[in-house]
Amino acid sequence: NVNGYTNCCFGFHRLAVVDQLFGMQPIRVKKYPYLWLCYNGEIYNHVKLQHHFEFEYQTKVDGEIILHLYDKGGIEQTVCMLDGVFAFILLDTANKKVFLGRDTYGVRPLFKAMTEDGFLAVCSEAKGLVNLKHSMTPFLKVEPFLPGHYEVLDLKPNGKVASVEMVKFHHCRDEPLHALYDSVEKLFPGFEIETVKSNLRILFDNAIKKRLMTHRRIGCLLSGGLDSSLVAATLLKQLKAAQVQYPLQTFAIGMEDSPDLLAARKVANHIGSEHHEVLFNSEEGIQALDEVIFSLETYDITTVRASVGMYLISKYIRKNTDSVVIFSGEGSDELTQGYIYFHKAPSPEKAEEESERLLKELYLFDVLRADRTTAAHGLELRVPFLDHRFSSYYLSLPPDMRIPKNGIEKHLLRETFEDSDLIPKEILWRPKEAFSDGITSVKNSWFRILQEYVEHQVDDTMMAAAAQKFPFNTPKTKEGYYYRQIFERHYPGRADWLTHYWMPRWINATDPSARTLTHYKSAAKA
């Protein structure tokens, strides 16, 4: 409870990754008795900023930097200086203000409910807010807080608030303000291909290096695709350089004979990680759907499909290993135009627009999947491709450098690591497999198995009445209907958390799986 305010309270459940001893929240320090901070995230430059501004720390918690920065320069400067992922609520009782903030891509979740008479509640997950009762409104509107924004609210003596402004503090294209204070070696100017490749390698190395910040064991998800393989190989190199004593554990999941398992095994052998393979069958996958949708808080088709594998592998990691901080390749497809439909982009400029749209919506799809499936099992995810410096540099490159070339998507990224021997050549040039497709056997894909199952769960009369039952985001397929049903059981009337389904562009797609696209090149056909 907050001193002097009868109805302000904070609740917190902690996963200790940095400073196990003094990391309880709300974070308060003697110097600022009027500041109360509840925060989830990782601020990778907190030590750097502490030294630069000569802040006196009371704890070793990375989040403490928020209090010092706020005291020094106010909220706008604070959020712009944070290199990392975060969601926070900061209460300033001296100036009677409340601040909410969330990182550029929304890697860390934040939900908010606010009534017309000024009752405010925030939580990392919507499930913490949906059952709150409020006398004025029987149905409390709960919505995701927008990534890359902060909000300023006035705090009244009775604990109620009034919103003053909502500000977008960072666009993914812009170099972040904190770049002024980091120790990355100087990048070379110009867009000559060798220069660009060298800059990308420097920034990618740096993105992984800064993410080693933890007192807990680090592991890595490895699907055998380009993105997770580059992350795993670079991570292993960085751990060696940092003289970390334990072997890197890498984790792959799939059904028997799945292309991902074979590819991941190749990479693990090449880099020398301690590799774990998790096998699952369609029954286990189907059984997990209910708890997956409950954890995710969405009914988006691709997200649910791809989450099952990630949920099951996270469960395995939690139960069988002591790896807690988990690296993963999310964000790369959006940033580097990795989806197969980018081959159909009408122009490099349109492809660039699409890439930025995807990044802006990550918090509804891949980032949501990655956060919720890992956090459900007490793991903490790190996504180096969404590093502010790496991503803003990539987006600053001329549009025609970033499009697919010679029929190969992510050509620039592959070319960048061509001479490094980080990963096997055939993996470096392996075409895209969607995670939900790559984990299943070539003969029968996971989503086909799902669809066969759903066929018996949803009949044609239900489909015929779908538009009446679900007027918003009406499901067009039985699979979509089935997920929506589970979602509505857990979160009745909350369908608007998802603004629209994830779908490929520029082609007449009825199903979001890459395997249904004509461009799809799988080993089965080769």
Side-chain angles (χ1 to χ4, degrees):
N1 287 308
V2 178
N3 316 349
Y5 289 87
T6 42
N7 40 9
C8 283
C9 59
F10 287 100
F12 183 67
H13 183 92
R14 179 149 197 257
L15 169 69
V17 173
V18 175
D19 192 3
Q20 275 111 314
L21 189 59
F22 296 106
M24 270 322 280
Q25 295 194 24
I27 298 175
R28 306 187 60 212
V29 294
K30 288 192 183 70
K31 201 173 170 189
Y32 316 117
Y34 47 88
L35 293 183
W36 303 66
L37 173 71
C38 235
Y39 135 94
N40 170 29
E42 302 294 320
I43 310 298
Y44 304 119
N45 62 345
H46 74 108
V47 175
K48 214 151 251 118
L49 293 174
Q50 179 191 359
H51 291 155
H52 182 86
F53 294 115
E54 298 176 342
F55 293 143
E56 278 177 48
Y57 267 35
Q58 196 178 304
T59 70
K60 292 195 182 72
V61 180
D62 47 307
E64 187 183 327
I65 189 70
I66 295 172
L67 302 176
H68 296 279
L69 286 172
Y70 169 71
D71 176 71
K72 181 186 165 295
I75 193 69
E76 168 96 26
Q77 206 182 2
T78 302
V79 287
C80 293
M81 292 292 267
L82 302 175
D83 183 7
V85 294
F86 56 86
F88 68 78
I89 175 165
L90 172 65
L91 181 64
D92 176 348
T93 55
N95 294 295
K96 305 198 173 30
K97 290 272 188 271
V98 179
F99 304 97
L100 306 175
R102 189 175 181 192
D103 69 79
T104 305
Y105 297 112
V107 176
R108 289 291 178 266
L110 185 63
F111 285 85
K112 139 185 184 194
M114 195 166 145
T115 62
E116 290 191 357
D117 66 332
F119 165 78
L120 170 72
V122 294
C123 191
S124 284
E125 298 191 16
K127 54 181 75 65
L129 301 175
V130 289
N131 296 322
L132 288 178
K133 298 283 176 277
H134 186 263
S135 52
M136 297 285 287
T137 41
F139 186 83
L140 199 57
K141 189 171 167 51
V142 173
E143 46 197 359
F145 187 84
L146 286 178
H149 285 72
Y150 70 84
E151 186 172 12
V152 183
L153 303 109
D154 279 333
L155 178 65
K156 299 176 179 159
N158 62 358
K160 297 281 178 72
V161 300
S163 181
V164 179
E165 57 173 349
M166 177 88 163
V167 180
K168 180 169 184 164
F169 66 86
H170 185 220
H171 188 289
C172 55
R173 243 198 334 258
D174 304 332
E175 185 173 70
L177 184 64
H178 56 70
L180 296 168
Y181 303 93
D182 69 23
S183 51
V184 183
E185 55 192 277
K186 207 87 189 103
L187 299 180
F188 297 100
F191 297 128
E192 204 270 311
I193 186 71
E194 290 309 316
T195 305
V196 167
K197 281 157 56 174
S198 160
N199 288 343
L200 285 172
R201 283 192 297 269
I202 289 168
L203 290 172
F204 189 66
D205 262 353
N206 175 59
I208 288 195
K209 191 176 182 176
K210 73 175 75 158
R211 283 169 174 73
L212 301 182
M213 177 186 95
T214 175
H215 299 141
R216 307 293 289 273
R217 183 167 182 167
I218 290 173
C220 190
L221 299 181
L222 178 59
S223 71
L226 174 69
D227 311 320
S228 64
S229 301
L230 286 175
V231 170
T234 309
L235 175 59
L236 196 122
K237 190 179 79 178
Q238 298 279 4
L239 288 171
K240 273 192 185 143
Q243 299 183 313
V244 168
Q245 294 306 298
Y246 56 78
L248 173 68
Q249 295 179 323
T250 49
F251 304 96
I253 188 162
M255 296 169 138
E256 286 172 296
D257 94 341
S258 84
D260 274 10
L261 282 183
L262 295 170
R265 203 176 301 158
K266 264 183 210 156
V267 177
N269 288 337
H270 183 89
I271 66 175
S273 62
E274 179 197 303
H275 191 55
H276 297 239
E277 288 185 2
V278 183
L279 284 172
F280 81 104
N281 57 36
S282 42
E283 285 73 49
E284 286 171 287
I286 284 161
Q287 253 172 353
L289 281 172
D290 188 76
E291 50 194 282
V292 165
I293 291 170
F294 174 71
S295 298
L296 289 176
E297 306 174 329
T298 187
Y299 51 93
D300 175 65
I301 297 167
T302 21
T303 306
V304 173
R305 270 182 201 165
S307 292
V308 170
M310 202 156 176
Y311 185 85
L312 293 173
I313 202 167
S314 300
K315 195 173 182 173
Y316 169 90
I317 295 171
R318 180 60 195 255
K319 206 169 129 199
N320 301 289
T321 78
D322 55 350
S323 288
V324 176
V325 171
I326 305 298
F327 279 66
S328 188
E330 270 72 34
S332 174
D333 286 324
E334 290 75 11
L335 179 66
T336 67
Q337 306 184 11
Y339 294 112
I340 291 170
Y341 70 86
F342 272 98
H343 290 282
K344 301 273 197 285
S347 71
E349 290 67 30
K350 284 277 183 272
E352 173 178 56
E353 255 171 59
E354 175 65 0
S355 171
E356 286 186 21
R357 180 186 74 89
L358 288 169
L359 286 166
K360 204 170 106 198
E361 293 178 355
L362 263 173
Y363 77 102
L364 292 169
F365 303 111
D366 276 25
V367 147
L368 177 143
R369 157 177 64 81
D371 173 78
R372 248 45 74 77
T373 53
T374 49
H377 300 288
L379 305 176
E380 194 236 298
L381 188 83
R382 301 213 170 160
V383 282
F385 277 106
L386 293 175
D387 180 74
H388 297 164
R389 295 276 328 255
F390 181 78
S391 57
S392 63
Y393 178 73
Y394 205 97
L395 294 170
S396 76
L397 299 172
D400 57 357
M401 275 187 107
R402 293 180 266 151
I403 54 173
K405 288 206 172 62
N406 312 332
I408 296 172
E409 64 285 344
K410 294 196 266 210
H411 198 280
L412 175 62
L413 184 64
R414 298 174 199 267
E415 225 183 315
T416 297
F417 294 98
E418 173 76 309
D419 303 324
S420 64
D421 194 43
L422 264 179
I423 59 176
K425 285 285 180 280
E426 74 260 37
I427 302 294
L428 187 63
W429 295 98
R430 182 188 177 200
K432 164 91 184 140
E433 282 261 10
F435 182 47
S436 51
D437 296 338
I439 56 177
T440 51
S441 96
V442 178
K443 294 192 279 290
N444 199 3
S445 100
W446 157 229
F447 83 88
R448 290 258 157 78
I449 295 165
L450 262 176
Q451 285 165 338
E452 280 158 25
Y453 169 76
V454 167
E455 197 57 44
H456 302 292
Q457 308 298 315
V458 179
D459 61 37
D460 295 344
T461 48
M462 290 156 90
M463 283 308 290
Q468 282 136 316
K469 193 172 162 75
F470 307 122
F472 179 75
N473 274 346
T474 305
K476 302 271 190 289
T477 61
K478 291 188 175 182
E479 184 190 3
Y481 189 102
Y482 185 70
Y483 299 162
R484 179 67 171 270
Q485 246 183 339
I486 297 175
F487 174 85
E488 293 285 346
R489 197 168 65 240
H490 290 299
Y491 307 109
R494 306 287 182 179
D496 61 352
W497 289 341
L498 178 68
T499 50
H500 59 281
Y501 290 106
W502 194 96
M503 271 289 171
R505 284 274 159 114
W506 306 308
I507 43 177
N508 293 326
T510 49
D511 189 286
S513 167
R515 279 204 177 176
T516 59
L517 303 185
T518 47
H519 186 87
Y520 192 79
K521 325 187 262 287
S522 99
K525 297 195 190 84

Coordinates of all heavy atoms in Angstrom, one line a residue, residues 114-171:
M114 N -9.0 1.1 -17.4 CA -9.3 2.4 -16.8 C -10.7 2.7 -16.9 O -11.3 2.6 -18.0 CB -8.4 3.4 -17.4 CG -8.3 4.7 -16.6 SD -7.0 5.7 -17.1 CE -7.7 7.3 -16.9
T115 N -11.4 3.2 -15.9 CA -12.8 3.5 -16.0 C -12.9 5.0 -16.1 O -12.0 5.8 -15.9 CB -13.5 3.1 -14.7 OG1 -12.9 3.9 -13.6 CG2 -13.4 1.7 -14.4
E116 N -14.1 5.4 -16.5 CA -14.4 6.9 -16.8 C -14.2 7.7 -15.5 O -13.8 8.9 -15.6 CB -15.8 7.1 -17.3 CG -15.8 6.5 -18.7 CD -17.1 6.9 -19.5 OE1 -18.0 7.6 -18.8 OE2 -17.2 6.6 -20.6
D117 N -14.4 7.1 -14.3 CA -14.2 7.9 -13.1 C -12.8 7.8 -12.5 O -12.5 8.2 -11.4 CB -15.3 7.5 -12.0 CG -15.1 6.1 -11.5 OD1 -14.5 5.3 -12.3 OD2 -15.4 5.8 -10.4
G118 N -11.9 7.2 -13.4 CA -10.5 7.3 -13.0 C -9.9 6.2 -12.2 O -8.8 6.4 -11.6
F119 N -10.5 5.0 -12.2 CA -9.9 3.9 -11.5 C -8.9 3.3 -12.5 O -9.3 3.0 -13.7 CB -11.0 2.9 -11.1 CG -10.5 1.5 -10.8 CD1 -9.9 1.2 -9.6 CD2 -10.6 0.5 -11.7 CE1 -9.4 0.0 -9.3 CE2 -10.1 -0.8 -11.5 CZ -9.5 -1.1 -10.2
L120 N -7.7 3.1 -12.1 CA -6.7 2.5 -13.0 C -6.1 1.2 -12.5 O -5.8 1.1 -11.3 CB -5.5 3.5 -13.2 CG -4.3 3.0 -14.0 CD1 -4.5 2.8 -15.4 CD2 -3.1 3.9 -13.7
A121 N -6.0 0.2 -13.4 CA -5.3 -1.0 -13.0 C -4.4 -1.5 -14.1 O -4.8 -1.4 -15.3 CB -6.4 -2.1 -12.7
V122 N -3.2 -1.9 -13.8 CA -2.3 -2.4 -14.9 C -1.8 -3.8 -14.4 O -1.6 -4.0 -13.2 CB -1.1 -1.5 -15.2 CG1 -1.6 -0.2 -15.9 CG2 -0.3 -1.2 -14.0
C123 N -1.4 -4.6 -15.4 CA -0.9 -5.9 -15.1 C -0.1 -6.4 -16.3 O -0.3 -6.0 -17.5 CB -2.1 -6.8 -14.9 SG -1.6 -8.4 -14.2
S124 N 0.8 -7.3 -16.1 CA 1.6 -7.9 -17.2 C 0.8 -8.7 -18.1 O 1.0 -8.9 -19.3 CB 2.7 -8.8 -16.7 OG 3.8 -8.0 -16.2
E125 N -0.3 -9.4 -17.5 CA -1.1 -10.2 -18.4 C -2.6 -9.8 -18.1 O -3.0 -9.4 -17.0 CB -0.9 -11.7 -18.1 CG 0.5 -12.1 -18.4 CD 0.7 -13.6 -18.3 OE1 -0.4 -14.4 -18.4 OE2 1.8 -14.1 -18.3
A126 N -3.4 -9.9 -19.2 CA -4.8 -9.4 -19.1 C -5.5 -10.3 -18.1 O -6.5 -9.8 -17.5 CB -5.4 -9.5 -20.5
K127 N -5.1 -11.5 -17.9 CA -5.9 -12.4 -17.0 C -5.9 -11.9 -15.6 O -6.7 -12.3 -14.8 CB -5.3 -13.9 -17.1 CG -3.9 -14.0 -16.9 CD -3.4 -15.5 -17.0 CE -3.4 -16.0 -18.4 NZ -2.4 -15.4 -19.3
G128 N -4.9 -11.0 -15.3 CA -4.9 -10.4 -13.9 C -5.9 -9.3 -13.7 O -6.1 -8.9 -12.6
L129 N -6.5 -8.9 -14.8 CA -7.4 -7.7 -14.8 C -8.9 -8.1 -15.1 O -9.8 -7.4 -14.6 CB -7.0 -6.6 -15.8 CG -5.6 -6.0 -15.6 CD1 -5.3 -5.0 -16.7 CD2 -5.4 -5.3 -14.2
V130 N -9.1 -9.1 -15.8 CA -10.4 -9.4 -16.3 C -11.5 -9.7 -15.2 O -12.7 -9.4 -15.4 CB -10.5 -10.5 -17.4 CG1 -9.9 -10.1 -18.7 CG2 -9.8 -11.8 -16.9
N131 N -11.0 -10.1 -14.1 CA -12.0 -10.4 -13.0 C -12.2 -9.3 -12.0 O -12.8 -9.5 -11.0 CB -11.7 -11.8 -12.4 CG -11.8 -12.9 -13.4 OD1 -12.7 -12.9 -14.2 ND2 -10.9 -13.9 -13.3
L132 N -11.5 -8.2 -12.2 CA -11.7 -7.1 -11.3 C -13.1 -6.6 -11.3 O -13.7 -6.5 -12.4 CB -10.7 -5.9 -11.6 CG -9.2 -6.1 -11.4 CD1 -8.5 -4.9 -11.8 CD2 -9.0 -6.4 -9.9
K133 N -13.6 -6.3 -10.2 CA -15.0 -5.8 -10.1 C -15.0 -4.3 -9.8 O -14.2 -3.8 -9.0 CB -15.8 -6.5 -9.0 CG -15.9 -8.0 -9.1 CD -17.0 -8.3 -10.2 CE -17.1 -9.8 -10.5 NZ -16.1 -10.3 -11.4
H134 N -15.8 -3.5 -10.5 CA -15.8 -2.1 -10.3 C -17.3 -1.7 -10.3 O -18.0 -2.0 -11.2 CB -15.0 -1.4 -11.4 CG -14.9 0.1 -11.1 ND1 -15.8 1.0 -11.7 CD2 -14.1 0.8 -10.3 CE1 -15.4 2.2 -11.3 NE2 -14.4 2.1 -10.4
S135 N -17.6 -0.9 -9.3 CA -19.1 -0.5 -9.1 C -19.7 0.2 -10.3 O -20.8 0.0 -10.6 CB -19.2 0.3 -7.8 OG -18.3 1.4 -7.9
M136 N -18.9 1.1 -10.9 CA -19.4 1.9 -12.0 C -19.7 1.1 -13.3 O -20.6 1.3 -14.0 CB -18.4 3.0 -12.4 CG -18.1 4.0 -11.3 SD -19.5 5.1 -11.1 CE -19.3 6.1 -12.6
T137 N -18.7 0.1 -13.6 CA -18.8 -0.6 -14.9 C -18.8 -2.1 -14.6 O -17.8 -2.6 -14.1 CB -17.7 -0.3 -15.8 OG1 -16.5 -0.2 -15.0 CG2 -17.9 1.0 -16.6
P138 N -19.9 -2.8 -14.9 CA -19.9 -4.2 -14.7 C -18.8 -5.0 -15.5 O -18.2 -5.9 -15.2 CB -21.3 -4.7 -15.1 CG -21.9 -3.5 -15.8 CD -21.1 -2.3 -15.5
F139 N -18.6 -4.4 -16.7 CA -17.6 -5.0 -17.7 C -16.4 -4.0 -17.8 O -16.6 -3.0 -18.4 CB -18.3 -5.3 -19.0 CG -17.4 -6.1 -20.0 CD1 -17.3 -7.4 -19.9 CD2 -16.7 -5.4 -20.9 CE1 -16.5 -8.1 -20.8 CE2 -15.8 -6.1 -21.8 CZ -15.8 -7.5 -21.7
L140 N -15.3 -4.4 -17.2 CA -14.1 -3.5 -17.2 C -13.4 -3.7 -18.6 O -13.0 -4.8 -18.9 CB -13.2 -3.9 -16.1 CG -12.2 -2.9 -15.6 CD1 -12.9 -1.5 -15.2 CD2 -11.4 -3.4 -14.4
K141 N -13.2 -2.6 -19.3 CA -12.5 -2.7 -20.6 C -11.0 -2.8 -20.3 O -10.4 -2.0 -19.6 CB -12.7 -1.4 -21.4 CG -12.2 -1.6 -22.8 CD -12.7 -0.4 -23.7 CE -11.9 -0.3 -25.0 NZ -11.9 -1.6 -25.8
V142 N -10.4 -3.9 -20.8 CA -9.0 -4.2 -20.6 C -8.4 -4.2 -22.0 O -8.9 -4.8 -22.9 CB -8.8 -5.6 -20.0 CG1 -7.3 -6.0 -19.9 CG2 -9.5 -5.7 -18.6
E143 N -7.3 -3.4 -22.1 CA -6.6 -3.4 -23.4 C -5.1 -3.4 -23.3 O -4.5 -3.0 -22.3 CB -7.1 -2.2 -24.2 CG -7.1 -0.9 -23.5 CD -7.9 0.2 -24.2 OE1 -8.5 -0.1 -25.3 OE2 -8.0 1.3 -23.6
P144 N -4.4 -3.9 -24.4 CA -2.9 -3.9 -24.3 C -2.4 -2.4 -24.4 O -3.0 -1.6 -25.1 CB -2.5 -4.6 -25.6 CG -3.7 -4.8 -26.4 CD -4.9 -4.6 -25.6
F145 N -1.4 -2.1 -23.6 CA -0.8 -0.8 -23.6 C 0.2 -0.8 -24.8 O 0.9 -1.8 -25.1 CB 0.0 -0.6 -22.4 CG 0.6 0.8 -22.2 CD1 -0.2 1.8 -21.7 CD2 1.9 1.1 -22.6 CE1 0.3 3.1 -21.6 CE2 2.4 2.4 -22.5 CZ 1.6 3.4 -22.0
L146 N 0.1 0.3 -25.7 CA 0.8 0.3 -26.9 C 2.4 0.3 -26.7 O 2.9 1.1 -26.0 CB 0.4 1.4 -27.8 CG -0.9 1.4 -28.4 CD1 -1.2 2.7 -29.2 CD2 -1.0 0.2 -29.4
P147 N 3.1 -0.6 -27.5 CA 4.5 -0.6 -27.4 C 5.1 0.8 -27.9 O 4.5 1.5 -28.7 CB 5.0 -1.6 -28.4 CG 3.8 -2.5 -28.6 CD 2.6 -1.6 -28.4
G148 N 6.3 1.1 -27.4 CA 7.0 2.3 -27.8 C 6.3 3.6 -27.3 O 6.6 4.7 -27.8
H149 N 5.4 3.5 -26.4 CA 4.7 4.6 -25.8 C 4.9 4.8 -24.3 O 5.2 3.8 -23.6 CB 3.2 4.5 -26.1 CG 2.8 4.8 -27.5 ND1 3.0 3.9 -28.5 CD2 2.1 5.8 -28.0 CE1 2.5 4.4 -29.6 NE2 2.0 5.5 -29.4
Y150 N 4.7 6.0 -23.8 CA 4.6 6.2 -22.4 C 3.3 7.0 -22.2 O 2.9 7.8 -23.1 CB 5.8 6.8 -21.7 CG 6.1 8.2 -22.1 CD1 5.4 9.3 -21.4 CD2 7.0 8.6 -23.1 CE1 5.7 10.6 -21.7 CE2 7.2 9.9 -23.4 CZ 6.6 10.9 -22.7 OH 6.8 12.2 -23.0
E151 N 2.7 6.9 -21.0 CA 1.5 7.7 -20.7 C 1.7 8.4 -19.4 O 2.4 7.9 -18.5 CB 0.3 6.8 -20.6 CG -1.0 7.6 -20.4 CD -2.3 6.7 -20.4 OE1 -2.2 5.5 -20.4 OE2 -3.4 7.3 -20.5
V152 N 1.3 9.7 -19.3 CA 1.4 10.5 -18.1 C -0.1 10.6 -17.5 O -1.0 11.0 -18.3 CB 1.9 11.9 -18.4 CG1 2.1 12.7 -17.1 CG2 3.2 11.8 -19.2
L153 N -0.2 10.4 -16.3 CA -1.5 10.5 -15.6 C -1.4 11.4 -14.4 O -0.4 11.3 -13.6 CB -2.1 9.2 -15.3 CG -2.3 8.2 -16.4 CD1 -1.3 7.0 -16.3 CD2 -3.7 7.6 -16.5
D154 N -2.4 12.2 -14.1 CA -2.5 12.9 -12.8 C -3.0 12.0 -11.7 O -4.0 11.3 -11.9 CB -3.4 14.1 -12.9 CG -2.7 15.3 -13.6 OD1 -1.4 15.4 -13.5 OD2 -3.4 16.1 -14.3
L155 N -2.4 12.1 -10.5 CA -2.9 11.3 -9.4 C -3.6 12.2 -8.4 O -3.1 13.2 -8.0 CB -1.7 10.6 -8.7 CG -2.0 9.8 -7.5 CD1 -2.8 8.6 -7.8 CD2 -0.6 9.4 -6.8
K156 N -4.9 11.8 -8.2 CA -5.7 12.6 -7.2 C -5.6 12.1 -5.8 O -5.3 10.9 -5.6 CB -7.2 12.6 -7.7 CG -7.2 13.2 -9.1 CD -8.6 13.1 -9.7 CE -8.6 13.8 -11.1 NZ -9.7 13.4 -11.9
P157 N -5.9 12.9 -4.8 CA -5.8 12.5 -3.4 C -6.5 11.2 -3.1 O -6.1 10.4 -2.2 CB -6.4 13.6 -2.6 CG -6.3 14.8 -3.5 CD -6.4 14.3 -4.9
N158 N -7.6 10.9 -3.8 CA -8.4 9.7 -3.5 C -7.9 8.5 -4.3 O -8.5 7.4 -4.3 CB -9.9 9.9 -3.9 CG -10.1 10.2 -5.4 OD1 -9.1 10.2 -6.1 ND2 -11.3 10.3 -5.8
G159 N -6.7 8.6 -4.9 CA -6.1 7.5 -5.6 C -6.6 7.3 -7.0 O -6.2 6.4 -7.7
K160 N -7.5 8.1 -7.4 CA -8.0 8.0 -8.8 C -7.0 8.8 -9.7 O -6.2 9.6 -9.3 CB -9.4 8.7 -9.0 CG -10.5 8.0 -8.1 CD -11.0 6.7 -8.8 CE -12.1 6.0 -8.0 NZ -13.4 6.6 -8.0
V161 N -7.1 8.5 -11.0 CA -6.2 9.2 -12.0 C -6.9 9.8 -13.2 O -8.1 9.5 -13.4 CB -5.1 8.2 -12.5 CG1 -4.3 7.6 -11.4 CG2 -5.8 7.1 -13.4
A162 N -6.3 10.7 -13.8 CA -6.8 11.3 -15.1 C -5.7 11.3 -16.1 O -4.6 11.8 -15.8 CB -7.3 12.7 -14.9
S163 N -5.9 10.8 -17.3 CA -4.8 10.7 -18.3 C -4.5 12.1 -18.8 O -5.4 12.9 -19.1 CB -5.3 9.8 -19.5 OG -4.2 9.8 -20.4
V164 N -3.2 12.5 -18.9 CA -2.8 13.8 -19.4 C -2.3 13.7 -20.8 O -2.8 14.4 -21.7 CB -1.7 14.4 -18.5 CG1 -1.2 15.7 -19.0 CG2 -2.1 14.4 -17.1
E165 N -1.4 12.7 -21.1 CA -1.0 12.5 -22.5 C -0.4 11.1 -22.7 O 0.1 10.5 -21.8 CB 0.0 13.5 -22.9 CG 1.3 13.6 -22.0 CD 2.3 14.6 -22.6 OE1 2.2 15.0 -23.7 OE2 3.3 14.8 -21.8
M166 N -0.5 10.7 -24.0 CA 0.0 9.4 -24.4 C 1.0 9.7 -25.5 O 0.7 10.4 -26.5 CB -1.1 8.5 -24.9 CG -0.7 7.2 -25.5 SD -0.7 6.0 -24.2 CE -0.6 4.5 -25.1
V167 N 2.3 9.3 -25.3 CA 3.3 9.8 -26.2 C 4.1 8.6 -26.8 O 4.5 7.7 -26.1 CB 4.4 10.7 -25.4 CG1 5.5 11.2 -26.4 CG2 3.7 11.9 -24.8
K168 N 4.3 8.7 -28.2 CA 5.1 7.7 -28.8 C 6.6 8.1 -28.7 O 6.9 9.2 -29.3 CB 4.7 7.5 -30.3 CG 5.6 6.5 -31.0 CD 5.0 6.1 -32.4 CE 5.9 5.0 -32.9 NZ 5.3 4.3 -34.1
F169 N 7.4 7.4 -28.0 CA 8.7 7.9 -27.7 C 9.8 7.4 -28.7 O 10.9 7.9 -28.7 CB 9.2 7.7 -26.3 CG 9.3 6.3 -25.9 CD1 10.5 5.6 -26.1 CD2 8.3 5.6 -25.3 CE1 10.7 4.2 -25.7 CE2 8.4 4.2 -24.9 CZ 9.6 3.6 -25.2
H170 N 9.5 6.3 -29.4 CA 10.5 5.7 -30.3 C 9.9 5.0 -31.5 O 9.0 4.2 -31.3 CB 11.4 4.7 -29.5 CG 12.6 4.2 -30.3 ND1 13.0 2.9 -30.3 CD2 13.4 4.8 -31.2 CE1 14.0 2.7 -31.1 NE2 14.3 3.9 -31.7
H171 N 10.4 5.4 -32.6 CA 10.0 4.7 -33.9 C 11.1 3.7 -34.2 O 12.3 4.1 -34.2 CB 9.7 5.7 -35.0 CG 9.1 5.0 -36.2 ND1 9.8 4.2 -37.0 CD2 7.9 5.1 -36.7 CE1 9.0 3.7 -38.0 NE2 7.8 4.2 -37.8

